[in-house]
Amino acid sequence: MIVVRIFTALLVLLAASPAMSQDRRVPASAAELRLSYAPIVQRVQPAVVNVYAAKMVQEHNPLLDDPIFRRFFGVPGQQPEQMQRSLGSGVMVDPSGLVVTNVHVIEGADEVKVSLSDKREFEAEIVLKDPRSDLAVLRLKGAHEKFPTLDFANSDELQVGDVVLAIGNPFGVGQTVTHGIISALARTQVGITDYQFFIQTDAAINPGNSGGALVDMTGKLAGINTAIFSRSGGSQGIGFAIPANMVRVVVASAKSGGKAVKRPWLGAKLQAVTPEIAESLGLKLPSGALVASVVAASPAARAGLKASDLIVSIDGQAVDDPNAFDYRFATRPLGGTAEIDVLRAGKTAKLSVALETAPDTGRNEIVLTGRSPLQGAKVANISPAVADELHLDSDTEGVVVTDLADGGTAANVGFQKGDIILAVNNQKIGKTADLEKATRESARLWRITLVRGGQQINVTLGG
């Protein structure tokens, strides 16, 4: 079974009457079974949009890579370009025309358009992309009116069994409404974003639903649908949504004018509690987040957090594993403190951790343009902020690949985001300026030493 990002998508939300009872109960009569979601669906439709993304890609014909073929048939070396289009969904979250969707819907797009429920189309600009959560915020161009929006639910109040609705355009067949329940909360083993903490639902979600909304029975946005588990590529009753509380953080950053989402930094490396570790600690259950190491002078260190401490809750909310803690901590507002409960030597301790961003001085991020195997790679010096973003050890030093241009040489030859470049042609790389200088020199062979996943790799590539 594989996780599929539901790439062509629009899930719509339902807005219920504020007076709707929030009591959770089963139907009490046959008449109640004939109740309809239609009023909710009709009310929310204006706040849900289609997102169209287009980009030019070079059509690749393997025969054109052969210079003998090109010479014999007189085919030019430059391969033709074609327009590649994708369809997704979005949710209007601000009356000025802010739309939230998935990063993977608009990634690499040269042009983005948004189609409203009344069939009007607007060009849109990308205000903010947050690959760590797979959320992006768009703004409609040339809009001079107030648009209908959806309010955020408190996703921490959702319960397994709650009814949810989704409206979307699966497989491009047209607007479709599905309903189901919340099948599970706090799913942390999905593996598609940095923050592994998803709402699972059996409401039918298919390709065409990415960036759409999962809505609760009060008509509020419970989450943004982003992926499915599937053997066939279609819905099999297991869909995943990013919780509204994470969406709220990303949208707030966009509204404040930020180009990146600023989140609190703990300054400690956490690990999961295995059954063996639980037994050694005398725990009944293998839960919590075990502190493996603490960065000196970090918020964790100043709060008194120590290696071997077991974090069991944050602000009164239980922590089952490191992913749950990362999500809870990342959704806390900057500027205050978070109260963390830890088990230390069999006793409970309460610590107050300052909510502040990681230092990012000396990042010096650049894109390599020299004719080398690393052409098209974006690289940065490893600051505490970079280490936090890429899940590197806090004491890691050097230069790391932070992004790769589509079609660039670096991407084509197999370099990956997170690769740490140690040396190029026997020249030690200590900072981005060293790497930029080394890749501007001409060479017939390139010998590159890098670290990937904790392992050192030596690569030799032709010039």
Side-chain angles (χ1 to χ4, degrees):
M1 193 176 295
I2 58 173
V3 177
V4 180
R5 275 176 165 156
I6 42 178
F7 204 92
T8 311
L10 167 127
L11 283 196
V12 177
L13 326 168
L14 354 158
S17 166
M20 180 181 292
S21 171
Q22 296 193 32
D23 293 340
R24 294 180 171 93
R25 60 186 179 84
V26 298
S29 67
E32 289 191 357
L33 290 175
R34 292 193 292 271
L35 295 176
S36 173
Y37 299 122
I40 297 175
V41 174
Q42 292 168 5
R43 214 174 291 123
V44 331
Q45 284 177 333
V48 181
V49 301
N50 286 344
V51 178
Y52 301 93
K55 63 180 177 179
M56 295 298 298
V57 296
Q58 196 169 69
E59 188 177 1
H60 182 70
N61 185 335
L63 291 175
L64 296 181
D65 292 336
D66 186 345
I68 297 177
F69 180 91
R70 295 201 305 268
R71 181 179 177 184
F72 185 79
F73 288 101
V75 180
Q78 181 64 37
Q79 301 184 22
E81 291 186 332
Q82 62 180 2
M83 183 69 75
Q84 186 179 83
R85 302 179 186 276
S86 62
L87 166 67
S89 302
V91 181
M92 200 76 73
V93 291
D94 187 84
S96 66
L98 283 184
V99 174
V100 66
T101 186
N102 284 137
V103 168
H104 72 263
V105 170
I106 52 88
E107 189 64 67
D110 300 312
E111 180 184 63
V112 179
K113 289 186 177 181
V114 170
S115 175
L116 307 185
S117 60
D118 60 11
K119 308 302 181 184
R120 287 185 296 162
E121 282 194 359
F122 291 84
E123 289 188 3
E125 62 178 331
I126 300 171
V127 177
L128 182 150
K129 290 196 303 182
D130 184 45
R132 301 188 71 184
S133 65
D134 193 25
L135 291 171
V137 179
L138 314 176
R139 177 181 287 113
L140 303 189
K141 294 181 180 179
H144 303 289
E145 60 184 277
K146 289 188 175 181
F147 296 94
T149 63
L150 288 175
D151 295 329
F152 293 108
N154 181 353
S155 51
D156 286 341
E157 295 179 353
L158 298 174
Q159 295 184 18
V160 174
D162 283 353
V163 175
V164 287
L165 300 179
I167 306 173
N169 185 15
F171 299 109
V173 300
Q175 193 172 84
T176 303
V177 181
T178 60
H179 93 287
I181 63 170
I182 292 176
S183 307
L185 295 167
R187 285 297 193 210
T188 60
Q189 303 299 319
V190 181
I192 56 174
T193 68
D194 284 0
Y195 297 105
Q196 300 295 311
F197 198 86
F198 293 91
I199 301 167
Q200 182 181 327
T201 179
D202 67 347
I205 300 170
N206 284 290
N209 289 113
S210 280
L214 191 70
V215 181
D216 67 15
M217 289 293 97
T218 69
K220 293 183 178 180
L221 180 64
I224 294 293
N225 297 286
T226 192
I228 56 176
F229 257 135
S230 178
R231 297 181 187 274
S232 63
S235 174
Q236 293 185 317
I238 303 178
F240 299 101
I242 301 165
N245 287 357
M246 177 61 78
V247 182
R248 190 197 310 267
V249 170
V250 175
V251 172
S253 293
K255 286 183 178 180
S256 67
K259 295 298 181 183
V261 180
K262 295 185 180 299
R263 296 184 173 94
W265 173 55
L266 178 64
K269 185 177 181 180
L270 307 178
Q271 69 180 73
V273 178
T274 63
E276 293 76 18
I277 292 175
E279 184 178 357
S280 68
L281 295 176
L283 302 175
K284 294 181 179 180
L285 297 172
S287 65
L290 187 65
V291 179
S293 61
V294 178
V295 180
S298 66
R302 297 199 306 271
L305 196 66
K306 299 178 179 179
S308 299
D309 282 350
L310 181 68
I311 300 175
V312 295
S313 71
I314 174 172
D315 290 336
Q317 295 176 308
V319 170
D320 292 328
D321 56 32
N323 286 322
F325 178 85
D326 287 346
Y327 167 81
R328 300 285 187 201
F329 196 69
T331 54
R332 294 298 185 269
L334 291 167
T337 59
E339 302 302 317
I340 295 177
D341 290 340
V342 303
L343 286 178
R344 179 183 296 166
K347 297 181 179 179
T348 301
K350 290 186 176 293
L351 306 176
S352 183
V353 180
L355 298 170
E356 57 189 50
T357 59
D360 200 21
T361 55
R363 175 190 285 251
N364 294 334
E365 199 166 36
I366 60 172
V367 176
L368 300 174
T369 59
R371 292 177 60 86
S372 76
L374 285 161
Q375 182 272 327
K378 182 182 285 187
V379 296
N381 296 328
I382 302 177
S383 66
V386 172
D388 183 52
E389 290 169 13
L390 300 179
H391 303 290
L392 304 175
D393 289 339
S394 57
D395 58 353
T396 304
E397 297 179 350
V399 175
V400 64
V401 176
T402 59
D403 201 4
L404 294 160
D406 290 340
T409 305
N412 291 338
V413 301
F415 286 101
Q416 298 177 11
K417 183 177 178 179
D419 286 347
I420 301 168
I421 310 301
L422 301 181
V424 173
N425 289 340
N426 298 320
Q427 297 181 44
K428 184 178 179 181
I429 304 300
K431 52 185 182 297
T432 55
D434 298 336
L435 185 55
E436 184 176 34
K437 180 182 177 182
T439 56
R440 286 194 179 279
E441 298 177 1
S442 60
R444 297 185 64 181
L445 284 179
W446 292 86
R447 296 178 175 86
I448 300 174
T449 304
L450 60 93
V451 172
R452 177 183 296 170
Q455 293 187 331
Q456 184 169 309
I457 303 171
N458 295 308
V459 181
T460 301
L461 298 165

